[in-house]
Amino acid sequence: MADIALHDVRKKYGSVDAIKGVSLDIADGEFVVLVGPSGCGKSTLLRMIAGLESITGGEISIGGRIVNDLEPSERDIAMVFQNYALYPHMTVRQNLAYGLKNRNTPKDEIDRRIVAAAKALEIEPFLERKPRQLSGGQRQRVAMGRAIVREPAAFLFDEPLSNLDAKLRVQMRVEIKRLQRSLATTSVYVTHDQMEAMTLADRLVVLNAGRIEQVGTPIELYEKPETTFVATFIGSPSMNLLPMEASASWSLAESAVAPSRAVTLGVRPEDLYLPEPNSLGNGFQIRATVAAVELVGAESYVHGILPNQQSIVFRVPGRTRIAVDEQLTVHANHGSLHFFDEAGKRLN
C-alpha cells in the first residue's frame, strides 16, 4: 500500500495543453475517483500515474518514491481496463497466474493468491473456463482478480464498468467498493458517470479542461459546489441555474438572502416543492408551465418552462397528478439556495 502525490503535473500534445498543472495528494488506502466530461483529461492523468503516458512537467510519486522515469512494471501498481484485457486462449486460472509467473513468483504462492482472489470475487467455478465462456460481469471480475493477485501498492481503474449493462454496473459498483475496503489498497478510479463516482469515492476529483475544478467528499461537492460547472455536473438531474434578475419573486425582506454580487441562483430539483393546498409556502418561489412529466417509480421529474422561456426541473412524489401545460408555483427554502458570481464561483 502507498500514498500517491501529484505536484504540478502537466501534459502537452504538441501545442495542446491536455493537463494544466494538476496537484493532488491521495492518502494510503484512500479510494479517489476522477470524474468529468469526455476530454477533460481524467484518463490521461490516470495513464500518467500508471506510466503509460509520459509527463511533460511536474512530479508523480508513489509511496514516497518519484516515478516520473520508471516503467509501468516498476511502479508497483495494477490497472483494470474497460475492455477487460484478458488473454482469450488462456483459462481464467492461467490469466490470473500470468503476471505472477513473469515475476518468478513461487508456484505455491501463485496458487494461494489465485484461491484467495477467486473466493473474494466469487469466480471459483470459472477457473478452468476461457474468457469467451464468461459473461461481461464475470470477465470484469477476472480482470479485477488479475489486479488483486499482484498485491500492488495501488489499483488504477480506467472506466472498468462502461461495457456492462445498467444492472450489472450497480452490482459491480458494490463489489468494487466492498473489495477496496477489505483490501485497504490505495485506488484511483476514472469514470464519466457521476452516479458511479458518488457511490464509490471517499473523495471526488472533478476535472474540467485539464484542471481540477473541485476536490472533496461526494456530499461536500453535492451540497457545496464551488462553481457552476461542479453544480451542474454533480447530481442527477443537474442543478437548475437561473439568472438572478429573472429567477424568482421575492419580498423585500427575503431579497437580503441573496449576496449583492450574485448573478446566478442555483437550486436542485429535489429542493423544489409544491406547497400543500391552502399553504403559501415560503422563501423562493417561481411560476412555471409544465412541459413534460417523467415518472421514474416512486418519484417523478417535472420539466417546466419559466416566463423567460428558461427550463427548470423539479421532483415530486411519483403519484402526484400533474398535467402538461398546467401552471404551477414552485417553492424552495432559503437554506437550499446556491448563489454564484459572474465568473461562476460560489458566493454562499
Side-chain angles (χ1 to χ4, degrees), residues 177-236:
K177 188 64 175 178
R178 181 186 66 80
L179 277 167
Q180 196 275 337
R181 282 178 174 166
S182 66
L183 297 170
T185 303
T186 308
S187 300
V188 185
Y189 189 106
V190 160
T191 182
H192 65 276
D193 184 331
Q194 57 92 17
M195 184 64 71
E196 201 170 290
M198 292 281 287
T199 55
L200 283 172
D202 294 329
R203 277 194 306 155
L204 279 177
V205 179
V206 179
L207 291 167
N208 179 22
R211 291 189 175 91
I212 291 179
E213 193 84 8
Q214 188 174 350
V215 180
T217 64
I219 194 64
E220 285 171 347
L221 269 64
Y222 182 80
E223 292 185 341
K224 295 286 185 181
E226 291 180 357
T227 65
T228 52
F229 178 86
V230 176
T232 54
F233 193 82
I234 298 298
S236 181

Side-chain angles (χ1 to χ4, degrees), residues 228 231-232 238-250 262-268 272 284-288 304-314 330-332 337-341:
T228 52
T232 54
S238 63
M239 182 183 288
N240 297 290
L241 296 179
L242 311 174
M244 283 297 298
E245 69 271 12
S247 61
S249 56
W250 307 82
V263 298
T264 301
L265 178 148
V267 59
R268 293 203 177 276
L272 290 163
F284 170 91
Q285 55 184 284
I286 195 164
R287 293 284 293 173
I305 303 297
L306 304 182
N308 67 347
Q309 299 304 302
Q310 185 170 353
S311 61
I312 191 170
V313 181
F314 59 95
V330 190
H331 294 249
L337 303 181
H338 307 255
F339 298 97
F340 302 92
D341 66 14

Side-chain angles (χ1 to χ4, degrees), residues 59-215:
E59 186 177 279
I60 298 175
S61 67
I62 300 175
R65 179 178 61 152
I66 297 173
V67 298
N68 288 22
D69 300 318
L70 296 184
E71 294 296 319
S73 60
E74 300 173 307
R75 300 190 180 202
D76 196 18
I77 53 93
M79 196 159 180
V80 180
F81 299 91
Q82 68 183 71
N83 62 356
Y84 318 132
L86 302 177
Y87 297 108
H89 62 287
M90 294 183 182
T91 65
V92 169
R93 185 186 299 276
Q94 291 168 334
N95 266 282
L96 296 177
Y98 183 76
L100 298 177
K101 286 183 177 179
N102 286 347
R103 291 169 173 254
N104 298 315
T105 307
K107 184 179 183 305
D108 59 343
E109 177 64 11
I110 292 175
D111 292 340
R112 181 193 69 78
R113 294 191 190 186
I114 288 175
V115 168
K119 184 176 181 180
L121 291 163
E122 299 179 357
I123 56 173
E124 295 163 291
F126 315 129
L127 286 174
E128 306 311 321
R129 296 187 190 180
K130 292 185 177 178
R132 66 175 179 273
Q133 297 172 297
L134 305 176
S135 68
Q138 290 164 348
R139 291 181 196 179
Q140 193 54 272
R141 287 171 185 265
V142 175
M144 290 171 56
R146 197 167 59 180
I148 289 170
V149 297
R150 293 267 309 279
E151 297 184 354
F155 292 127
L156 306 180
F157 297 88
D158 190 7
E159 303 203 46
L161 307 185
S162 60
N163 289 339
L164 304 181
D165 63 38
K167 184 177 180 180
L168 267 177
R169 282 201 302 272
V170 173
Q171 293 175 353
M172 290 301 296
R173 284 205 308 259
V174 174
E175 193 66 26
I176 288 172
K177 188 64 175 178
R178 181 186 66 80
L179 277 167
Q180 196 275 337
R181 282 178 174 166
S182 66
L183 297 170
T185 303
T186 308
S187 300
V188 185
Y189 189 106
V190 160
T191 182
H192 65 276
D193 184 331
Q194 57 92 17
M195 184 64 71
E196 201 170 290
M198 292 281 287
T199 55
L200 283 172
D202 294 329
R203 277 194 306 155
L204 279 177
V205 179
V206 179
L207 291 167
N208 179 22
R211 291 189 175 91
I212 291 179
E213 193 84 8
Q214 188 174 350
V215 180

Side-chain angles (χ1 to χ4, degrees), residues 1-45:
M1 296 186 290
D3 61 337
I4 298 174
L6 311 180
H7 177 68
D8 196 28
V9 172
R10 299 174 181 274
K11 179 65 178 181
K12 292 189 74 169
Y13 295 102
S15 61
V16 177
D17 288 316
I19 301 294
K20 304 168 184 175
V22 167
S23 295
L24 177 67
D25 291 319
I26 300 171
D28 185 15
E30 189 175 23
F31 197 126
V32 166
V33 177
L34 309 180
V35 67
S38 297
C40 71
K42 56 189 183 295
S43 288
T44 299
L45 196 59

